[in-house]
Amino acid sequence: MKFPRVTFLPPVLALGLALGFSSLVAQATGTVTGQVVNAETGQPLSEVQMVVVGTNIGSLSNEAGRFLITRVPEGQREIRAVILGYAQQVMAITVTAGQTTVVDFQLNPTAIALEALIVTSPTGREQRARELGTKVAQLEVAKINPAPINTLGDVLGGRSAGVVMQAVSGTAGSSQRIRIRGANSLSLGNEPLVFLDGVQINNQIGGALGSGGVVVSRLNDLNPNEIENIEVVKGPAASALYGTAAANGVILITSKRGRPGSTQWSAWAETGTIEDVAQYPTNWESYSIADASAPMFNANGLLNSTAYPSCPNRSAAAGTCTQDGTLTFNTLRDSRTTPFSTGNRSRYGASVRGGTEQVRYFVSGQMEDEEGVVYFNTLDKLNLRANLDAALAETVDLSVSFGYTNSSLGLNNNDNSIFSPIINGLIGRAYYIPPVEGEFPEGVPNDDNYNWGFNLYELENLVNYQDVDRMTLSSNVGWRPLSWLTLTANGGVDLTNNFDYNTLQPNKLPIAESYTKGFRNSERETRYLYSATFSGVSTFQLMDDLVSTTTVGFQYDQNQQKNTTCYGSSLVPGTASCGTTSALFSVDEDYFEIRTVGGYLQQELGWRDKTFLALGLRGDDNSAFGADFGFVYYPSASLSWVVAEEDWFPELDWMSNLRLRTAYGTSGLRPGMRDAVTLYTPTTVATAGGDAPGVALSNTGNTQLKPERSTEYEFGFDAGFLQERLGVEFTFFNKKSEDALINRLLAPSLGLTANVFDNLGSIRNRGTELLVNAEVVRMDDVGLSLGFTNTTLENEVLDLGEGVEDIIFNRGSQRHAEGYSAGGFWQRAVTYDDADGNGKLTNAEVTLGADPEYIGPSLPEWQRTLFADLRILDWVTISTLFEGRGGHYTGNETEAFRCGVYATRGCSAVGNPNATLQEQAAYIADRYLGSGALYIEKADFWKWREVSVSFEMPSFLTQYAQRLDGLRITLAGRNLATWTDYTGIDPEGVEGGGGQNFSQSEFNTQPPVRYFTLRLDYSF
């Protein structure tokens, strides 16, 4: 491994040169103060950004709408007021040295967010949306919180065009899969880069030990109640300044901060239920009657196979038996055998914020407890946060953020595990088998689950635990030595300690020797993410109509990971340590480290506050690059033009605003830590003198290995109609990723390993994003807002490299093939013909095509959301969200698996005499002929994702009881209904929790569950 070389001009030196060209003559200054209110209601507006145009000087309005700006250079100045949801206002004033100038603002609401303040660069500098040629999504989490938000991932789902948040599993504590504008990499991860308060944080997705594929995400360690807003920087055109990790997009999270004014206390309590509402398939078994006088079931409750032998559909089709009767039973839905119960969750928390103009603070704490629909699937979590902002001097500001998470997660087995409750239910009997008296301990929940291979009491003995201790610390110092210059230093660390473990006591799962003897399995992982950014921003008003902003910065990131694992079998009863095992003992230790150094420069010009041009360049070196590969550069450019504000633009009654924008940019993805290096493993070598230690080649490195490089251009417009009551945002994007890592085969004659990573491939994502916001009703007593998003995506593998064959995965059903969607589904075509017309198929009546054929993409080609907010009398709010996706396919591996387990009973294709011909053909083709094409299904769906009803304490009551001011009660539901033609359990489910890049199959996966919650918020 190599370490990055710093080969660019340090920003401190660059800024020093810039200062050398300027006269550092002290300038006389004055003070500006005033108030900002809503122009329609007269209510004060807090958190309004007040800026002296052409400088880096500004402040925020407080809860009374008051603001104070000090050290404003004397002379003719313009003050700009900006806040999301309102049109900006600019006021011209004259500042007199040593005097205070008063100016008030009245802002008008708007449906088009041109004045939203957005952070798009590592400097943390805020820019107005109107200045950006890219489209950045902004989510105000504080306004979303009344909705049924259980994790931070829920905040992102369905709320931004171009962002797909796939709820891949309903297991408590499991992760979601995040994709922004498609998937860029065939070999590396496709998850976005995430920052919290300016510091990169761990959003790793990983599996828990032995859980059958369930994965968890560190993103969900965060508490949504601590978050102020989230910005989604969607593609390389916007994320170019973030460099060699940002091709998948960047998520910028800002936690809540203190505000000047009176102390504000908030407390909340939430309780709710969790239900599994999936339509699980029924188990079937058809039989012949050989002896009608014999009892159907024996003393053990099993079918008398001698008198009532099984007669599956294939046998009936061949004429070897007659189906005289059919048994059916739904193990997962019958109240006597279901493993599912009503789960529950609760959250309790409190926060306090306040301060003065000099010192502001925010402190928060929350406890969370959840029991899933499988009762030993549990999550307990504690979140703490403390943020402090201080004005150390008139020109120096300090911000410090501290967050802590402690959690304990217990996971039942799921997906591809013989100990999964879902698997055991789906391959259960087609009739109810009463339990043997005295077989189960008295009072054990669901102790009647004898229809399975295991009962729930036995499965409870194998719970996979993950304990997490996590601390995130960041600090930011800003210094404004001159009115046009701001220097910023930001740094911090995200420290995560994971402890994954499971213990099986001897003789608790009687299945195989390795289980009857018990075992202990554990893994401890410590991960450090260090971040440091140093930057300088200079702003000059070059002419009356021209403002120049120059940004220079330096960034350093270091990712360290230390793992220790152990496993042992033959466990001493009653113990839980690898040290008390006596067989199959193994131990391992790993250390990973990746470092990145980068520098960036951006020049922006704003002309008449209507046209904005930006040119940028980022350069990086990374320790994961090949030793012979040097620095990589990422250019960017953007243009924004608020054309509707031009004097020549016609005044139209139906159009109130129009902005045109376009952008171009490049960013990258670094290789894996060990992809570029040659590695050896220890081995034993037999010599004449006995065994001797030696090494064997385990990985062939590539000294020329470089990052994957994604280049994107986008263009679009933002338009306001009907006096700003209707806002429309549209974007077209085209993103091409080149130098994609491909695991290329090596010739055996080379004497190396079988594969080596090389930069050979390319992949393209292009599509459109549409957002429509409409204020249908805007009255004093009633308000109704409606919204709609539509995203389209076309994904294609352009090149795999010369001589590289299709990359096949997911049981052979998916592949990366040139000219087709990445991870697309391929299978040999299946045709069938019931030649004799008896409604039953034999093997001979099912035919396969000669070669695999392309079926369709695994990535959704469209995503749409519908949302609405209804306000009544300022004390009732009703919100709802519907989400749909389609144009893609998924593998119904759940049905393929259960049909393939038993030849005489199980799925409808085997035992249901009225099974469709397609069901029978799918079963025959998959089990006997070698094609699962008919188990690959369209995965289009619509879901009623959220609904909430909030009741605020009305003012006519709070005037008599002041302490009731700020009381809100919210009833909410999540995952309320699904509409789909998919025949499996749930089209959104993904085997393995979505931890793999492109695998898109449901395999006995716990589907998303339904939540109902009651929440009480009280602030004073």
Side-chain angles (χ1 to χ4, degrees), residues 365-391:
Q366 177 179 279
M367 293 185 295
E368 180 177 346
D369 175 72
E370 182 169 330
E371 180 182 292
V373 294
V374 175
Y375 69 90
F376 48 87
N377 171 209
T378 59
L379 173 65
D380 296 296
K381 186 162 62 174
L382 169 69
N383 288 99
L384 301 174
R385 173 157 296 279
N387 293 341
L388 178 68
D389 299 278

PDB file of all heavy atoms in Angstrom, residues 365-391:
ATOM      1  N   GLY A 365     -31.461  14.186  24.407  1.00  0.00           N
ATOM      2  CA  GLY A 365     -31.292  12.789  24.778  1.00  0.00           C
ATOM      3  C   GLY A 365     -32.539  11.992  24.429  1.00  0.00           C
ATOM      4  O   GLY A 365     -33.662  12.519  24.494  1.00  0.00           O
ATOM      5  N   GLN A 366     -32.354  10.755  24.037  1.00  0.00           N
ATOM      6  CA  GLN A 366     -33.498   9.911  23.675  1.00  0.00           C
ATOM      7  C   GLN A 366     -33.196   8.450  23.977  1.00  0.00           C
ATOM      8  O   GLN A 366     -32.084   7.979  23.766  1.00  0.00           O
ATOM      9  CB  GLN A 366     -33.833  10.065  22.196  1.00  0.00           C
ATOM     10  CG  GLN A 366     -34.974   9.153  21.722  1.00  0.00           C
ATOM     11  CD  GLN A 366     -35.301   9.339  20.269  1.00  0.00           C
ATOM     12  OE1 GLN A 366     -36.022  10.268  19.908  1.00  0.00           O
ATOM     13  NE2 GLN A 366     -34.778   8.474  19.411  1.00  0.00           N
ATOM     14  N   MET A 367     -34.213   7.744  24.478  1.00  0.00           N
ATOM     15  CA  MET A 367     -34.142   6.295  24.662  1.00  0.00           C
ATOM     16  C   MET A 367     -35.184   5.646  23.758  1.00  0.00           C
ATOM     17  O   MET A 367     -36.305   6.142  23.627  1.00  0.00           O
ATOM     18  CB  MET A 367     -34.399   5.915  26.114  1.00  0.00           C
ATOM     19  CG  MET A 367     -33.319   6.373  27.078  1.00  0.00           C
ATOM     20  SD  MET A 367     -33.602   5.783  28.767  1.00  0.00           S
ATOM     21  CE  MET A 367     -35.116   6.666  29.168  1.00  0.00           C
ATOM     22  N   GLU A 368     -34.786   4.563  23.122  1.00  0.00           N
ATOM     23  CA  GLU A 368     -35.650   3.881  22.158  1.00  0.00           C
ATOM     24  C   GLU A 368     -35.644   2.388  22.452  1.00  0.00           C
ATOM     25  O   GLU A 368     -34.601   1.803  22.777  1.00  0.00           O
ATOM     26  CB  GLU A 368     -35.146   4.144  20.749  1.00  0.00           C
ATOM     27  CG  GLU A 368     -35.955   3.483  19.649  1.00  0.00           C
ATOM     28  CD  GLU A 368     -35.440   3.841  18.272  1.00  0.00           C
ATOM     29  OE1 GLU A 368     -34.633   4.794  18.172  1.00  0.00           O
ATOM     30  OE2 GLU A 368     -35.822   3.161  17.294  1.00  0.00           O
ATOM     31  N   ASP A 369     -36.815   1.778  22.343  1.00  0.00           N
ATOM     32  CA  ASP A 369     -36.939   0.344  22.583  1.00  0.00           C
ATOM     33  C   ASP A 369     -37.898  -0.228  21.549  1.00  0.00           C
ATOM     34  O   ASP A 369     -38.981   0.329  21.323  1.00  0.00           O
ATOM     35  CB  ASP A 369     -37.465   0.082  24.002  1.00  0.00           C
ATOM     36  CG  ASP A 369     -37.719  -1.392  24.242  1.00  0.00           C
ATOM     37  OD1 ASP A 369     -36.747  -2.145  24.371  1.00  0.00           O
ATOM     38  OD2 ASP A 369     -38.905  -1.790  24.295  1.00  0.00           O
ATOM     39  N   GLU A 370     -37.489  -1.314  20.908  1.00  0.00           N
ATOM     40  CA  GLU A 370     -38.344  -1.927  19.893  1.00  0.00           C
ATOM     41  C   GLU A 370     -38.275  -3.444  19.998  1.00  0.00           C
ATOM     42  O   GLU A 370     -37.194  -4.024  20.144  1.00  0.00           O
ATOM     43  CB  GLU A 370     -37.928  -1.480  18.491  1.00  0.00           C
ATOM     44  CG  GLU A 370     -38.809  -2.041  17.388  1.00  0.00           C
ATOM     45  CD  GLU A 370     -38.574  -1.387  16.040  1.00  0.00           C
ATOM     46  OE1 GLU A 370     -38.191  -0.191  16.028  1.00  0.00           O
ATOM     47  OE2 GLU A 370     -38.788  -2.044  15.013  1.00  0.00           O
ATOM     48  N   GLU A 371     -39.444  -4.062  19.923  1.00  0.00           N
ATOM     49  CA  GLU A 371     -39.556  -5.515  19.838  1.00  0.00           C
ATOM     50  C   GLU A 371     -40.281  -5.831  18.550  1.00  0.00           C
ATOM     51  O   GLU A 371     -41.415  -5.406  18.338  1.00  0.00           O
ATOM     52  CB  GLU A 371     -40.314  -6.093  21.027  1.00  0.00           C
ATOM     53  CG  GLU A 371     -40.468  -7.603  20.980  1.00  0.00           C
ATOM     54  CD  GLU A 371     -41.271  -8.138  22.153  1.00  0.00           C
ATOM     55  OE1 GLU A 371     -40.775  -8.068  23.292  1.00  0.00           O
ATOM     56  OE2 GLU A 371     -42.414  -8.618  21.938  1.00  0.00           O
ATOM     57  N   GLY A 372     -39.618  -6.552  17.653  1.00  0.00           N
ATOM     58  CA  GLY A 372     -40.171  -6.800  16.340  1.00  0.00           C
ATOM     59  C   GLY A 372     -41.288  -7.818  16.338  1.00  0.00           C
ATOM     60  O   GLY A 372     -41.749  -8.288  17.396  1.00  0.00           O
ATOM     61  N   VAL A 373     -41.729  -8.184  15.160  1.00  0.00           N
ATOM     62  CA  VAL A 373     -42.844  -9.128  15.036  1.00  0.00           C
ATOM     63  C   VAL A 373     -42.419 -10.548  15.373  1.00  0.00           C
ATOM     64  O   VAL A 373     -43.271 -11.418  15.574  1.00  0.00           O
ATOM     65  CB  VAL A 373     -43.463  -9.057  13.628  1.00  0.00           C
ATOM     66  CG1 VAL A 373     -44.113  -7.700  13.409  1.00  0.00           C
ATOM     67  CG2 VAL A 373     -42.422  -9.347  12.550  1.00  0.00           C
ATOM     68  N   VAL A 374     -41.114 -10.819  15.397  1.00  0.00           N
ATOM     69  CA  VAL A 374     -40.578 -12.025  16.025  1.00  0.00           C
ATOM     70  C   VAL A 374     -40.048 -11.574  17.383  1.00  0.00           C
ATOM     71  O   VAL A 374     -39.159 -10.718  17.445  1.00  0.00           O
ATOM     72  CB  VAL A 374     -39.465 -12.658  15.169  1.00  0.00           C
ATOM     73  CG1 VAL A 374     -38.830 -13.829  15.894  1.00  0.00           C
ATOM     74  CG2 VAL A 374     -40.018 -13.104  13.816  1.00  0.00           C
ATOM     75  N   TYR A 375     -40.579 -12.109  18.452  1.00  0.00           N
ATOM     76  CA  TYR A 375     -40.428 -11.452  19.753  1.00  0.00           C
ATOM     77  C   TYR A 375     -38.998 -11.371  20.253  1.00  0.00           C
ATOM     78  O   TYR A 375     -38.676 -10.535  21.105  1.00  0.00           O
ATOM     79  CB  TYR A 375     -41.316 -12.135  20.812  1.00  0.00           C
ATOM     80  CG  TYR A 375     -40.880 -13.527  21.197  1.00  0.00           C
ATOM     81  CD1 TYR A 375     -39.989 -13.754  22.235  1.00  0.00           C
ATOM     82  CD2 TYR A 375     -41.376 -14.640  20.531  1.00  0.00           C
ATOM     83  CE1 TYR A 375     -39.594 -15.017  22.598  1.00  0.00           C
ATOM     84  CE2 TYR A 375     -41.007 -15.918  20.887  1.00  0.00           C
ATOM     85  CZ  TYR A 375     -40.108 -16.110  21.907  1.00  0.00           C
ATOM     86  OH  TYR A 375     -39.730 -17.378  22.260  1.00  0.00           O
ATOM     87  N   PHE A 376     -38.085 -12.220  19.729  1.00  0.00           N
ATOM     88  CA  PHE A 376     -36.696 -12.084  20.170  1.00  0.00           C
ATOM     89  C   PHE A 376     -35.859 -11.262  19.199  1.00  0.00           C
ATOM     90  O   PHE A 376     -34.636 -11.268  19.267  1.00  0.00           O
ATOM     91  CB  PHE A 376     -36.052 -13.449  20.445  1.00  0.00           C
ATOM     92  CG  PHE A 376     -36.255 -14.490  19.377  1.00  0.00           C
ATOM     93  CD1 PHE A 376     -35.399 -14.591  18.308  1.00  0.00           C
ATOM     94  CD2 PHE A 376     -37.309 -15.394  19.478  1.00  0.00           C
ATOM     95  CE1 PHE A 376     -35.581 -15.560  17.342  1.00  0.00           C
ATOM     96  CE2 PHE A 376     -37.501 -16.372  18.512  1.00  0.00           C
ATOM     97  CZ  PHE A 376     -36.629 -16.462  17.440  1.00  0.00           C
ATOM     98  N   ASN A 377     -36.514 -10.554  18.295  1.00  0.00           N
ATOM     99  CA  ASN A 377     -35.864  -9.528  17.472  1.00  0.00           C
ATOM    100  C   ASN A 377     -36.064  -8.189  18.183  1.00  0.00           C
ATOM    101  O   ASN A 377     -37.145  -7.616  18.151  1.00  0.00           O
ATOM    102  CB  ASN A 377     -36.473  -9.521  16.082  1.00  0.00           C
ATOM    103  CG  ASN A 377     -36.029  -8.366  15.208  1.00  0.00           C
ATOM    104  OD1 ASN A 377     -36.766  -7.926  14.333  1.00  0.00           O
ATOM    105  ND2 ASN A 377     -34.825  -7.853  15.424  1.00  0.00           N
ATOM    106  N   THR A 378     -35.027  -7.697  18.861  1.00  0.00           N
ATOM    107  CA  THR A 378     -35.165  -6.532  19.745  1.00  0.00           C
ATOM    108  C   THR A 378     -34.097  -5.489  19.448  1.00  0.00           C
ATOM    109  O   THR A 378     -33.009  -5.806  18.965  1.00  0.00           O
ATOM    110  CB  THR A 378     -35.055  -6.962  21.227  1.00  0.00           C
ATOM    111  OG1 THR A 378     -33.779  -7.603  21.435  1.00  0.00           O
ATOM    112  CG2 THR A 378     -36.171  -7.923  21.592  1.00  0.00           C
ATOM    113  N   LEU A 379     -34.427  -4.251  19.776  1.00  0.00           N
ATOM    114  CA  LEU A 379     -33.491  -3.145  19.633  1.00  0.00           C
ATOM    115  C   LEU A 379     -33.676  -2.192  20.797  1.00  0.00           C
ATOM    116  O   LEU A 379     -34.782  -1.715  21.057  1.00  0.00           O
ATOM    117  CB  LEU A 379     -33.731  -2.397  18.310  1.00  0.00           C
ATOM    118  CG  LEU A 379     -32.922  -1.103  18.099  1.00  0.00           C
ATOM    119  CD1 LEU A 379     -31.428  -1.417  18.015  1.00  0.00           C
ATOM    120  CD2 LEU A 379     -33.387  -0.373  16.844  1.00  0.00           C
ATOM    121  N   ASP A 380     -32.573  -1.924  21.499  1.00  0.00           N
ATOM    122  CA  ASP A 380     -32.547  -0.911  22.558  1.00  0.00           C
ATOM    123  C   ASP A 380     -31.468   0.100  22.201  1.00  0.00           C
ATOM    124  O   ASP A 380     -30.329  -0.277  21.872  1.00  0.00           O
ATOM    125  CB  ASP A 380     -32.225  -1.536  23.920  1.00  0.00           C
ATOM    126  CG  ASP A 380     -33.298  -2.499  24.376  1.00  0.00           C
ATOM    127  OD1 ASP A 380     -34.434  -2.067  24.610  1.00  0.00           O
ATOM    128  OD2 ASP A 380     -32.990  -3.707  24.465  1.00  0.00           O
ATOM    129  N   LYS A 381     -31.818   1.379  22.257  1.00  0.00           N
ATOM    130  CA  LYS A 381     -30.869   2.399  21.798  1.00  0.00           C
ATOM    131  C   LYS A 381     -30.959   3.651  22.648  1.00  0.00           C
ATOM    132  O   LYS A 381     -32.052   4.068  23.034  1.00  0.00           O
ATOM    133  CB  LYS A 381     -31.131   2.736  20.326  1.00  0.00           C
ATOM    134  CG  LYS A 381     -30.112   3.685  19.709  1.00  0.00           C
ATOM    135  CD  LYS A 381     -30.135   3.660  18.193  1.00  0.00           C
ATOM    136  CE  LYS A 381     -31.437   4.108  17.620  1.00  0.00           C
ATOM    137  NZ  LYS A 381     -31.413   4.208  16.150  1.00  0.00           N
ATOM    138  N   LEU A 382     -29.801   4.240  22.908  1.00  0.00           N
ATOM    139  CA  LEU A 382     -29.694   5.513  23.617  1.00  0.00           C
ATOM    140  C   LEU A 382     -28.941   6.484  22.725  1.00  0.00           C
ATOM    141  O   LEU A 382     -27.878   6.168  22.202  1.00  0.00           O
ATOM    142  CB  LEU A 382     -28.940   5.329  24.935  1.00  0.00           C
ATOM    143  CG  LEU A 382     -28.509   6.609  25.668  1.00  0.00           C
ATOM    144  CD1 LEU A 382     -29.735   7.350  26.206  1.00  0.00           C
ATOM    145  CD2 LEU A 382     -27.532   6.292  26.794  1.00  0.00           C
ATOM    146  N   ASN A 383     -29.497   7.683  22.541  1.00  0.00           N
ATOM    147  CA  ASN A 383     -28.842   8.747  21.788  1.00  0.00           C
ATOM    148  C   ASN A 383     -28.683   9.969  22.670  1.00  0.00           C
ATOM    149  O   ASN A 383     -29.636  10.384  23.338  1.00  0.00           O
ATOM    150  CB  ASN A 383     -29.644   9.141  20.549  1.00  0.00           C
ATOM    151  CG  ASN A 383     -29.604   8.100  19.456  1.00  0.00           C
ATOM    152  OD1 ASN A 383     -30.523   7.313  19.319  1.00  0.00           O
ATOM    153  ND2 ASN A 383     -28.541   8.081  18.675  1.00  0.00           N
ATOM    154  N   LEU A 384     -27.480  10.546  22.656  1.00  0.00           N
ATOM    155  CA  LEU A 384     -27.202  11.791  23.370  1.00  0.00           C
ATOM    156  C   LEU A 384     -26.531  12.762  22.406  1.00  0.00           C
ATOM    157  O   LEU A 384     -25.755  12.351  21.539  1.00  0.00           O
ATOM    158  CB  LEU A 384     -26.285  11.544  24.573  1.00  0.00           C
ATOM    159  CG  LEU A 384     -26.777  10.581  25.649  1.00  0.00           C
ATOM    160  CD1 LEU A 384     -25.691  10.331  26.680  1.00  0.00           C
ATOM    161  CD2 LEU A 384     -28.032  11.122  26.319  1.00  0.00           C
ATOM    162  N   ARG A 385     -26.833  14.047  22.570  1.00  0.00           N
ATOM    163  CA  ARG A 385     -26.202  15.063  21.715  1.00  0.00           C
ATOM    164  C   ARG A 385     -26.050  16.356  22.500  1.00  0.00           C
ATOM    165  O   ARG A 385     -26.942  16.738  23.267  1.00  0.00           O
ATOM    166  CB  ARG A 385     -27.008  15.318  20.450  1.00  0.00           C
ATOM    167  CG  ARG A 385     -26.479  16.494  19.626  1.00  0.00           C
ATOM    168  CD  ARG A 385     -26.885  16.417  18.191  1.00  0.00           C
ATOM    169  NE  ARG A 385     -26.295  15.243  17.541  1.00  0.00           N
ATOM    170  CZ  ARG A 385     -25.036  15.190  17.085  1.00  0.00           C
ATOM    171  NH1 ARG A 385     -24.252  16.277  17.196  1.00  0.00           N
ATOM    172  NH2 ARG A 385     -24.565  14.111  16.520  1.00  0.00           N
ATOM    173  N   ALA A 386     -24.911  17.017  22.268  1.00  0.00           N
ATOM    174  CA  ALA A 386     -24.656  18.339  22.834  1.00  0.00           C
ATOM    175  C   ALA A 386     -23.928  19.175  21.793  1.00  0.00           C
ATOM    176  O   ALA A 386     -22.839  18.783  21.338  1.00  0.00           O
ATOM    177  CB  ALA A 386     -23.827  18.234  24.113  1.00  0.00           C
ATOM    178  N   ASN A 387     -24.515  20.297  21.403  1.00  0.00           N
ATOM    179  CA  ASN A 387     -23.923  21.211  20.422  1.00  0.00           C
ATOM    180  C   ASN A 387     -23.757  22.592  21.053  1.00  0.00           C
ATOM    181  O   ASN A 387     -24.667  23.073  21.746  1.00  0.00           O
ATOM    182  CB  ASN A 387     -24.805  21.334  19.181  1.00  0.00           C
ATOM    183  CG  ASN A 387     -24.858  20.037  18.385  1.00  0.00           C
ATOM    184  OD1 ASN A 387     -23.998  19.176  18.533  1.00  0.00           O
ATOM    185  ND2 ASN A 387     -25.869  19.901  17.545  1.00  0.00           N
ATOM    186  N   LEU A 388     -22.632  23.208  20.792  1.00  0.00           N
ATOM    187  CA  LEU A 388     -22.333  24.526  21.357  1.00  0.00           C
ATOM    188  C   LEU A 388     -21.799  25.430  20.254  1.00  0.00           C
ATOM    189  O   LEU A 388     -20.940  25.029  19.461  1.00  0.00           O
ATOM    190  CB  LEU A 388     -21.288  24.407  22.472  1.00  0.00           C
ATOM    191  CG  LEU A 388     -20.836  25.711  23.137  1.00  0.00           C
ATOM    192  CD1 LEU A 388     -21.982  26.311  23.952  1.00  0.00           C
ATOM    193  CD2 LEU A 388     -19.618  25.466  24.021  1.00  0.00           C
ATOM    194  N   ASP A 389     -22.328  26.648  20.200  1.00  0.00           N
ATOM    195  CA  ASP A 389     -21.840  27.670  19.276  1.00  0.00           C
ATOM    196  C   ASP A 389     -21.482  28.907  20.094  1.00  0.00           C
ATOM    197  O   ASP A 389     -22.269  29.348  20.937  1.00  0.00           O
ATOM    198  CB  ASP A 389     -22.913  28.025  18.247  1.00  0.00           C
ATOM    199  CG  ASP A 389     -23.320  26.832  17.409  1.00  0.00           C
ATOM    200  OD1 ASP A 389     -22.617  26.516  16.451  1.00  0.00           O
ATOM    201  OD2 ASP A 389     -24.355  26.206  17.738  1.00  0.00           O
ATOM    202  N   ALA A 390     -20.315  29.461  19.829  1.00  0.00           N
ATOM    203  CA  ALA A 390     -19.859  30.610  20.618  1.00  0.00           C
ATOM    204  C   ALA A 390     -19.148  31.613  19.720  1.00  0.00           C
ATOM    205  O   ALA A 390     -18.406  31.244  18.810  1.00  0.00           O
ATOM    206  CB  ALA A 390     -18.924  30.157  21.738  1.00  0.00           C
ATOM    207  N   ALA A 391     -19.401  32.872  19.979  1.00  0.00           N
ATOM    208  CA  ALA A 391     -18.660  33.955  19.330  1.00  0.00           C
ATOM    209  C   ALA A 391     -17.482  34.291  20.236  1.00  0.00           C
ATOM    210  O   ALA A 391     -17.629  34.992  21.247  1.00  0.00           O
ATOM    211  CB  ALA A 391     -19.563  35.169  19.133  1.00  0.00           C
TER     212      ALA A 391
END
